[in-house]
Amino acid sequence: MDRNKPRLLLPANLVNLAAVTTDALPIPALRNQAISADVLRLDKTDPFISGNKWFKLHYYLAHAMETGNNAVLTFGGPWSNHILATAYAARKCGLASTGIIRGEQPRILSATLRDAAAAGMQLVFTNRQSYARKTDPAWLEELLQTYQHPIIIPEGGAGQTGILGAATIARFFQGDYTHIIGAIGTGTMINGLLLSAAPGTTIVGVPVLRGYDAWQPSSANDDKTINFRLAPGYTFGGYAKHTPELLSFMNRFYSDTGIPTDFVYTGKLFFALTDLLTRDYFPPGARILAIHSGGLRGNQSLAPGTLLF
């Protein structure tokens, strides 16, 4: 696929896309290696619609607006950056939003859910057993009927619509990179990059969930000129889990680079990148681009003072 396709449909000023930069990564692991590494700072676009979230939501929101639908509905946990981003993006697009939230309603809402509610999102709490049916066609039809036929956005903005949105990320970096590395949650961003990266690029995915050691890209991304490699072993206990080692690394990485990370995705990504560099994973002459996919507000769930930033 031509990396300049698909095109963006929504007004660029809904988030600050002009703030996206490609910066050199001054990390110690690069010293004395014939390798260069940059970072695409998608985290700079918006404090609420952070990082890759806008891109994954883009075509879902555009479809809602083009069809005259005035509402979207999606799924997520109490600290979901996707829930937060959907709430604020929908408000900016003039759409109502409903979030199906995993778990019973707590006495005190998380900071993420308080912000989502403040943006106008209707929060609907459901037990974990029901939430597990989030891809069940019968339940989705029931939700359509109950909430007046909203556009349903899968958890994390997944699905081919989200992949097409993630493919537009390639429009925001310049450079002839041999390797692009990013975190894998739903895999939507990595699948999108496989659609839009330049021929000859190797895409490296770092899973942040347990059980993804054999994850493979969507069959729709069957471009033999773009390579894919999985770099497992950096989940630190699983999705949204962390260890003292990871938190210590995040503080050290910030001290070295001035770049804040989150413990769900990008902390694990940059830990993996640093470790892979020490293991000679990349060949001499490699030109690496790491995708900072945002999500920093999730750090609010940590105890104050845990992180330096």
Side-chain angles (χ1 to χ4, degrees):
M1 176 179 288
D2 182 342
R3 66 183 296 163
N4 292 320
K5 304 290 184 179
R7 62 189 179 90
L8 293 167
L9 300 177
L10 298 176
N13 62 1
L14 290 176
V15 294
N16 189 12
L17 296 178
V20 176
T21 58
T22 303
D23 303 335
L25 264 178
I27 54 179
L30 280 169
R31 293 173 187 163
N32 303 319
Q33 295 197 45
I35 292 173
S36 65
D38 293 340
V39 53
L40 184 67
R41 295 293 304 275
L42 297 182
D43 57 304
K44 294 181 176 182
T45 58
D46 190 272
F48 300 101
I49 314 168
S50 177
N52 63 10
K53 301 296 185 289
W54 172 252
F55 299 93
K56 293 192 290 182
L57 288 169
H58 190 95
Y59 286 105
Y60 288 109
L61 298 171
H63 178 60
M65 297 174 73
E66 288 175 347
T67 57
N69 195 309
N70 65 355
V72 295
L73 179 148
T74 195
F75 307 84
W79 290 98
S80 168
N81 287 302
H82 168 72
I83 285 289
L84 184 65
T86 302
Y88 276 83
R91 186 174 73 173
K92 287 192 174 188
C93 291
L95 304 170
S97 63
T98 299
I100 306 299
I101 309 301
R102 182 183 66 247
E104 304 292 346
Q105 181 169 353
R107 184 175 61 86
I108 299 175
L109 294 180
S110 68
T112 295
L113 294 184
R114 290 197 300 271
D115 286 341
M121 176 174 275
Q122 177 185 7
L123 304 179
V124 179
F125 294 86
T126 185
N127 61 52
R128 291 176 178 270
Q129 183 177 3
S130 296
Y131 187 86
R133 299 176 59 208
K134 61 184 180 290
T135 60
D136 181 348
W139 194 42
L140 294 179
E141 180 60 31
E142 183 180 327
L143 292 173
L144 284 171
Q145 298 298 328
T146 301
Y147 297 101
Q148 301 180 332
H149 295 274
I151 297 298
I152 292 183
I153 303 174
E155 185 179 46
Q160 194 61 24
T161 301
I163 290 172
L164 290 174
T168 64
I169 290 172
R171 301 165 66 100
F172 293 87
F173 58 80
Q174 304 293 327
D176 184 18
Y177 295 103
T178 60
H179 297 74
I180 299 175
I181 186 168
I184 295 177
T186 63
T188 306
M189 183 182 74
I190 292 296
N191 277 314
L193 292 170
L194 283 164
L195 280 179
S196 56
T201 306
T202 296
I203 306 294
V204 181
V206 178
V208 300
L209 291 82
R210 288 183 298 179
Y212 273 42
D213 289 359
W215 185 87
Q216 289 296 314
S218 165
S219 59
N221 302 325
D222 193 21
D223 186 342
K224 302 305 181 186
T225 68
I226 299 177
N227 303 311
F228 172 73
R229 297 181 69 181
L230 196 68
Y234 302 99
T235 65
F236 290 90
Y239 183 72
K241 303 292 185 182
H242 57 80
T243 65
E245 181 185 20
L246 177 62
L247 298 177
S248 176
F249 168 81
M250 291 167 61
N251 282 328
R252 188 167 64 253
F253 184 79
Y254 180 75
S255 295
D256 290 339
T257 67
I259 298 173
T261 56
D262 77 293
F263 67 86
V264 180
Y265 294 103
T266 55
K268 296 175 183 180
L269 167 68
F270 288 108
F271 186 102
L273 174 58
T274 301
D275 188 57
L276 293 172
L277 285 167
T278 65
R279 296 173 183 272
D280 298 324
Y281 180 91
F282 301 98
R287 298 177 302 281
I288 305 164
L289 178 70
I291 309 294
H292 193 311
S293 54
L296 298 176
R297 291 185 71 84
N299 289 338
Q300 291 179 319
S301 64
L302 299 172
T306 301
L307 298 174
L308 299 176
F309 47 89

